[in-house]
Amino acid sequence: TPTAVDSPAVSEPGRVEEENWMMHLSPDGPSSFGPVGRREVMNAGVASLMTWRSDGSSPASAAAGADMLEASRSLFTHYRRLGQAVEPGLLLPVLIAQTHTLRELSAQSDSGTRRRLLALGSRYAEYVGWLVQETGDERAALWWTQRAVDLAAVGGDQALAGYALVRRALVTLYREDAEQTITLARRAQSGVLPSRIRGLAAQREAQGHALAGDVGACLRALDRARTLLARRNDGADGPVIGSMHLPDSVGMVTGWCLVDLGRPREAGEELDRQLTQVGPDAVRTQVRYGVRRALAYASAGEIDHACALTEPLLDGVTAVRSATVTTDLRRLVRVLGRYPDHPPVRRLAPRLGTLTRPTTPLEESPS
């Protein structure tokens, strides 16, 4: 079912223009999303389908805006929790629609409510960007990240642009581009940004240094991240930026970095400690760092232990369908492939082969 809605595009600071978003929701195959021009919508025949919109002529009451804000914040927390256990394609349509709803209501609200609605809408858009990256579509992920920055800026929040650099650095990290990862992460550590964003940026910088094999720079960035993340959240009253499922994100990232620094046994032990603190419902987090832990032990030559750690993760890998997790899973497969006659490796090989087979992204890239 094609569905057309309007949503913002920012052509200059403080000004929001409309653009059409098109979602195709299929009950038996991949759904799709992309921004399109009005002429394309008409040519596609969408105007002949059921359409609706608000003309913005009736201002929303303060109570309606406040109620929508409270409900949407609560929903956002639930969606993030649900996103830990299901594949991105199941959540993306409702998250995109919710982003549009917040933007639409903001145009009819008083200035204070408008700012808060746009700020929350930007967080929805940023989360959509992360989930789209999980489908393997980097281009679309960056597009959504920019939409988040645009919404936040129109609402008076310039800080999210700093976090967008951290998100872009994640894309370059998975491309194994250490230099760009470090450069982007450093740009997000400006003193004018909230300490949490700077702390997350320092973590990403540490991952870039680990990829480059620079132990000293990596550990210094991790120390800086711990100091920054220990501070209060700069008065922010919205949803937490970054993962809400890592009790000690610096500790977990330390374990992650130690793998790339060629210290796999230390990495495995650190990830052991950190994963005991992650709740069982945080499946996406469990499999992301669990596969990393298995990779650490496999790289340390503990093949039986690596296989024992990997096997219980595979149902979760199937459930969340994460492109980023698959990246590490492929690395694990390459390490285990050095031991083709090892019985645990032979037992896991068929399923690992299925899970790491290349697939196309679930979403179409926005143009």
Side-chain angles (χ1 to χ4, degrees), residues 209-215 218-219 254 256-264:
H209 287 305
L211 202 58
D214 190 333
V215 177
C218 175
L219 296 180
T254 298
W256 178 287
C257 290
L258 288 169
V259 175
D260 288 331
L261 288 171
R263 296 158 65 172

Side-chain angles (χ1 to χ4, degrees), residues 128-146 164 167-177 181 323-324 327 330 359-366:
V128 170
W130 162 239
L131 288 181
V132 171
Q133 185 178 354
E134 287 286 78
T135 72
D137 194 335
E138 293 178 352
R139 182 166 172 254
L142 293 173
W143 187 91
W144 273 104
T145 300
Q146 186 58 49
R167 289 282 299 110
R168 287 172 57 193
L170 182 64
V171 172
T172 59
L173 179 71
Y174 277 101
R175 291 177 183 168
E176 299 188 344
D177 186 338
T181 300
T324 54
T327 298
R330 288 178 178 140
T359 57
T360 56
L362 298 178
E363 301 294 318
E364 293 181 357
S365 299

Side-chain angles (χ1 to χ4, degrees), residues 289-299 302 306-307 309-310 313 332:
Y289 293 98
V291 169
R292 191 75 171 181
R293 174 174 60 166
L295 173 62
Y297 280 110
S299 300
E302 298 187 29
C307 289
L309 291 171
T310 301
L313 297 172
L332 176 61

